[in-house]
Amino acid sequence: STDLTIQTELNDILKNIIFYNDRLDKLKKVIYYGKQHNIKTPINIDAKISPNEKQQKALHAAIGMVTESVEKLDTVYNSILNNEDFDTANIREEIGDTRFYEAVLLEIFNFDHNNVYQVNMNKLDQRYGEKFNEEGALNRNLDKEREILEDNL
């Protein structure tokens, strides 16, 4: 059935995201924290990037946000798979870790948290009006949304 196919696809994607997140987190620890590694896959020398200091900090924070977000996903997903209560202590920890990396990005780009929040609310108001609806989610006016985002820099 279609529902079973969708559920199978979702499970496959979630497992892959969690698997690759583990690899990304290990690389983050090697690159940014000097942890020794046993990486089996050779690194493609042609794919090397040479970010400046600001780019390096932003990349570290962005990778950190991804890895911490997927750790939340992993906790929720495993609770569902194992039919267990959510590990709320772990969820809270991962939210805090994500916010740490968010604060780093806010500092790098000299953004104010309240302004970022307000601009996002303005964008969502433009998209949905009073409340979320499928029509707004599926038929976004990306030009108008970008205008809102750029007007508030």
Side-chain angles (χ1 to χ4, degrees):
S1 88
T2 302
D3 287 346
L4 182 58
T5 302
I6 291 170
Q7 186 61 47
T8 301
E9 181 74 7
L10 177 61
N11 285 335
D12 288 346
I13 290 170
L14 292 175
K15 287 176 187 174
N16 279 305
I17 288 171
I18 293 165
F19 171 77
Y20 282 106
N21 186 68
D22 184 53
R23 291 181 65 191
L24 181 61
D25 193 53
K26 286 177 183 169
L27 281 172
K28 178 184 74 177
K29 291 173 182 171
V30 168
I31 294 167
Y32 298 107
Y33 313 139
K35 183 176 180 177
Q36 295 298 314
H37 66 84
N38 60 350
I39 298 170
K40 295 176 176 73
T41 306
I43 297 172
N44 179 356
I45 301 301
D46 294 336
K48 277 191 172 180
I49 56 173
S50 300
N52 64 38
E53 186 177 343
K54 181 177 180 178
Q55 292 168 329
Q56 188 73 278
K57 287 179 181 179
L59 182 61
H60 180 192
I63 289 171
M65 288 187 74
V66 168
T67 58
E68 300 302 337
S69 293
V70 176
E71 287 178 22
K72 286 187 288 293
L73 172 65
D74 190 20
T75 299
V76 170
Y77 182 64
N78 280 311
S79 294
I80 294 167
L81 282 180
N82 299 321
N83 198 27
E84 298 173 349
D85 290 339
F86 291 118
D87 182 348
T88 54
N90 184 256
I91 296 278
R92 181 174 47 199
E93 175 195 5
E94 302 308 343
I95 290 170
D97 291 344
T98 304
R99 288 195 174 175
F100 167 79
Y101 286 114
E102 178 184 287
V104 172
L105 283 173
L106 288 168
E107 183 179 316
I108 289 168
F109 295 105
N110 198 31
F111 289 151
D112 172 75
H113 171 78
N114 292 326
N115 177 261
V116 169
Y117 176 79
Q118 187 57 57
V119 169
N120 192 61
M121 292 305 297
N122 294 346
K123 176 194 74 173
L124 294 175
D125 284 347
Q126 192 283 323
R127 184 184 302 170
Y128 300 118
E130 292 286 321
K131 66 179 192 168
F132 173 84
N133 59 74
E134 288 86 5
E135 176 66 24
L138 296 173
N139 298 298
R140 297 167 51 187
N141 182 340
L142 297 177
D143 291 334
K144 182 64 178 167
E145 288 182 18
R146 182 68 186 194
E147 182 181 314
I148 291 168
L149 297 171
E150 289 178 353
D151 284 348
N152 289 282
L153 281 179

